[in-house]
């Protein structure tokens, strides 16, 4: 399932209309709170989700919280980063399970 990290940041045709992991402001140093919020968002969005595609739209600590939530839930994760030169998003595949 595809998500943006936060609503309303970095508008782009590839991300418009996607749901956000964090729909409200977060405390950028509440690492545990962000991890719990990300895990709950992913669990509630699709209880049997097999893969997460996250369009990174800011705040490294929030991206890390999503990575931790995917590890805890055993969900494969691909981070998508904006390539300003080509005006597209490029994938970064993240291993979230033990190989």
């Amino acid at each position: 399932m595809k998500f943006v990290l936060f609503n309303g940041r970095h508008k782009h045709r590839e991300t418009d209309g996607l749901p956000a992991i964090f729909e409200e402001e977060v405390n950028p140093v509440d690492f545990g709170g962000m991890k719990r919020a990300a895990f709950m968002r992913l669990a509630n969005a699709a209880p049997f989700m097999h893969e997460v595609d996250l369009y990174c739209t800011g705040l490294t600590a929030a991206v890390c919280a999503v990575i931790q939530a995917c590890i805890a839930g055993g969900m494969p994760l691909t981070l998508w980063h904006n390539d300003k030169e080509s005006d597209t998003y490029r994938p970064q595949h993240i291993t979230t399970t033990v190989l």
Side-chain angles (χ1 to χ4, degrees):
M1 185 165 187
K2 295 180 180 185
F3 294 92
V4 292
L5 196 59
F6 294 99
N7 276 329
R9 293 178 88 171
H10 308 290
K11 293 284 188 186
H12 192 275
R13 67 186 179 282
E14 289 184 48
T15 61
D16 288 347
L18 292 179
I21 296 290
F22 301 102
E23 295 178 342
E24 300 174 6
E25 285 189 37
V26 298
N27 176 343
V29 293
D30 182 6
F31 308 122
M34 284 189 290
K35 177 184 171 185
R36 285 187 298 279
F39 185 83
M40 293 304 297
R41 177 68 172 118
L42 293 172
N44 290 333
F48 302 103
M49 185 180 338
H50 296 289
E51 186 173 328
V52 175
D53 288 281
L54 178 67
Y55 288 81
C56 299
T57 55
L59 195 55
T60 301
V63 173
C64 292
V66 174
I67 293 169
Q68 290 178 310
C70 287
I71 291 168
M75 295 174 268
L77 172 66
T78 300
L79 301 177
W80 291 83
H81 304 279
N82 186 261
D83 179 351
K84 291 180 183 184
E85 190 172 299
S86 66
D87 193 33
T88 61
Y89 277 82
R90 297 184 47 157
Q92 178 184 19
H93 301 285
I94 305 295
T95 300
T96 57
T97 57
V98 177
L99 298 176

